[in-house]
Structure formats: structure tokens, C-alpha cells
Amino acid sequence: MRPPNIPILGELTPGTKQRHLIKLPGAALANDEPRPVISVAGAKLGPVLFVNAGVHGGEYPAVEAVIRLGKTLDPKKISGTVILMPVLNLPAFRTRTPFVCPIDNVNPNRVFPGDARGSYSEQMTHGLINEFVVHADAYVDLHGGDIPEALVPFVICRAGNDEVAKKSKAIAIAFGLPHVLAVSKPVQPGKGQSSYAAAADKGIPAVLAEAGGVGQMQEEAVSLLVNGVVNVMRHLGMIDDANFEFQISKSETKPNPNETARSAVAATKTSAADTAPSTLLPKFEWLYTKSTGVWYPKVAPGDAVREGEQIGTVGDLFGDTLEEIVSPVNGIVLFLTINPSVLEKGLLMGIGAE
Ligand SMILES: [Zn+2]
């Protein structure tokens, strides 16, 4: 095992935890607020795991999970190094902007691995890949439903029979969420691709894990993501103590009363070791409305749907139905747009399909 070498962070002394404020390279990022990064360098050598959240700025449980890991992980008890960045897309986080970065109106998770001479989001993702991801042995990108989205927890990785794809799938399963998608094509067209796919192309096993949504701090979702990263660390051999106990430093807040019973039920799984194995889903179908109007879903995240089943309607402001939304596949609703106002070609839901 080689010692950790992430040049932008400087020297990482084994057995120590450090706070960094990082300026990513790129002319478009020159006036950026520096991004907080925490390095937890284990007393013993081992793999380098890079974990970030906040590629989408309104996915708060993911951001909080990275903050908690930074506060809780003890470098004396781990082998290898964990690098944690709570928020990549800081302009979106500061302005509560869903899906995109407000500086260039680009979804950063469609332009990986980025472009050093591209727009703000392209330079930002280029910096993330080249300053952090390529120096890691594994990469975990934490997400959730963005401000207008509800979802059931799931993990995505790239499908394939090559070594990187196989390692990515093993990490995805080890994470311990109810559903695992191993997909071979981008879920939405873009100039680039998603974080996990770009990392895999660079030879780094990678997954994207999602829990939480609707713009809220959901404690169950935070726990799922924190436990998922710890499960991945165990899978990678970074925790060799069979008695390793991980106490998440819980926030003082009470559970959110607005959380639905359904999302609470979906979020009770805590680790791969004590729960049923994940459902493996090879296809991810995203549904869009043709019409601008009012969205009336008839399903919730976690619901099973059948091909041909009517799963919602879009109406106009007179109350007339403009469009019936029909499931194109047999599968499980993984995420759902919860705001009634939708625009033409607007995203309605994602279905994990068998
Ligand atoms: Zn996201």
C-alpha cells in the first residue's frame, strides 16, 4: 500500500485529521468561496476513499452525512485515508438552487469529467476529478432527491464486465441501500456524464448513493448515507477491527414532522450486515411530461408499477386533463417530482426496472 498522495491537500500525516479550505483550479472559479475538505489519514496504510456531496446544492442529508463523517471518523481506528468534501456545488448550496449551478445554469452531474476550458460547472467537475477522484482508490458521490424530489434510497454504478465495473458493483452492494442500479447508458443526455461513470472511465471504482429529498434534513437519510460509507470502508478493508463501533454524532434536532411514514419506513435499513440484500435493477427509466401544467402523481416513491399502468396525469389550470402518464415498464418508482407545477419536457419520475 502506498501512502496517500493528494497534492492539492499537501502532506497528510498518518493518524491525523485535518481541515482544509480548497480553491479548485480554473479561471471561472478564481473568485470562489474556498471549499471545505476534511482528510482523515489512518494510522495504518490502506486505500484512499474520496467522498463528496453537494454536486446538487439542495440535497441536504448527503451534505450532512459528509459533515458527520468528518466529525466522527477517528484516524487512529482506520487503515487508509478518507477524504471528505461536504459540498462541491457551493454556489447552488448558498442560493438553494436545485439541479444546476446558478452561475452557468448547467447540471454538474451531466458534464463529468468536465473541461478545464469549459463553463463554470465543467471547470468545477474537471477540478474534482483531477484533484481528488483520480488520486483515490474508490469514489463515493452522495446525493438525494433535490428540493422538488422525493425518493427511496438507492445506489447507482456503471454496468459492465470489466474490473472497474465489477468493483463498483461490489461497492454499490456493500453500501447497503434497498436498491442497486447498474446501468450502461447515461440516464439523461448531456455534454458529459455522471460522476460515477466518469470516475469509472478513469479506472476508479465509483458509486453514486441517494437518500433523502424535498429540501429537508431527514435524519434517517443522513444515517443511511453515513452507515453506507462506513459499510464501504469495511468492504475496502479500511476497518479491520471486528469490534469497530461507529456512533454517528447525531444532531440535536427532532425528527422532521413533515416526513411521510413511507419515507421513514424506507429509511430504516442501516447496514448491509443486518438487512436483506439490495434489489438489483439493470434499467433506469425517466419519465417526462409533454405539457406545461399541473402534475397529479398517483404513485409514491417505493411503489411497484406495471407496464401500461396509469401512474399520474398532467392537467391545465381549468382542470382539464392534458396528458395521462403511463408506466413504460414493470419496476419500482425510485424518485418522484413532488411539486405540482411542471413545465413542458419536465422530469416527473424515475423508475428502476427489472
Ligand atoms: Zn443529486
Side-chain angles (χ1 to χ4, degrees), residues 55-57 59 99 107 109 141-146 149 208-210:
V55 167
H56 295 135
E59 300 175 353
F99 304 121
N107 183 338
N109 210 26
D141 182 17
L142 298 183
H143 286 246
D146 214 318
E149 286 178 324
L208 185 158
E210 306 225 18

Side-chain angles (χ1 to χ4, degrees), residues 1 74 228 265 274 277 291 331:
M1 281 289 174
D74 181 350
V265 168
D274 60 10
S291 328

Side-chain angles (χ1 to χ4, degrees), residues 20 33 75-76 137 153 182 240 245 261 302 347:
H20 314 260
E33 175 184 350
K76 294 184 182 62
D137 298 298
D240 50 11
E245 281 192 22
L347 181 59

Side-chain angles (χ1 to χ4, degrees), residues 192-208:
Q193 47 188 342
S194 294
S195 58
Y196 64 90
D201 280 354
K202 301 259 182 202
I204 312 299
V207 302
L208 185 158

Side-chain angles (χ1 to χ4, degrees), residues 97-263:
T97 304
F99 304 121
V100 300
C101 176
I103 294 176
D104 57 6
N105 218 30
V106 165
N107 183 338
N109 210 26
R110 303 290 175 268
V111 299
F112 277 94
D115 179 346
R117 279 170 293 281
S119 73
Y120 183 94
S121 290
E122 292 171 78
Q123 293 189 22
M124 177 174 74
T125 51
H126 183 265
L128 187 82
I129 290 286
N130 291 286
E131 300 300 332
F132 289 96
V133 174
V134 299
H135 300 295
D137 298 298
Y139 170 40
V140 175
D141 182 17
L142 298 183
H143 286 246
D146 214 318
I147 295 166
E149 286 178 324
L151 57 71
V152 286
F154 62 93
V155 190
I156 317 181
C157 63
R158 203 185 63 177
N161 289 316
D162 55 293
E163 274 314 297
V164 174
K166 284 181 193 166
K167 284 183 182 172
S168 301
K169 190 172 172 185
I171 291 170
I173 292 167
F175 200 100
L177 294 183
H179 307 287
V180 169
L181 284 151
V183 293
S184 49
K185 62 180 174 63
V187 288
Q188 262 187 336
K191 184 171 174 185
Q193 47 188 342
S194 294
S195 58
Y196 64 90
D201 280 354
K202 301 259 182 202
I204 312 299
V207 302
L208 185 158
E210 306 225 18
V214 299
Q216 296 179 6
M217 185 67 87
Q218 298 156 324
E219 188 60 38
E220 290 89 344
V222 177
S223 299
L224 281 175
L225 294 174
V226 170
N227 285 321
V229 172
V230 172
N231 290 339
V232 170
M233 290 173 63
R234 195 175 280 114
H235 170 77
L236 296 173
M238 303 176 77
I239 299 166
D240 50 11
D241 178 1
N243 299 318
F244 181 89
E245 281 192 22
F246 190 80
Q247 291 289 331
I248 303 168
S249 55
K250 288 224 163 61
S251 74
E252 302 297 311
T253 54
K254 292 194 177 76
N256 191 317
N258 295 325
E259 268 183 64
T260 63
R262 190 185 298 273
S263 72

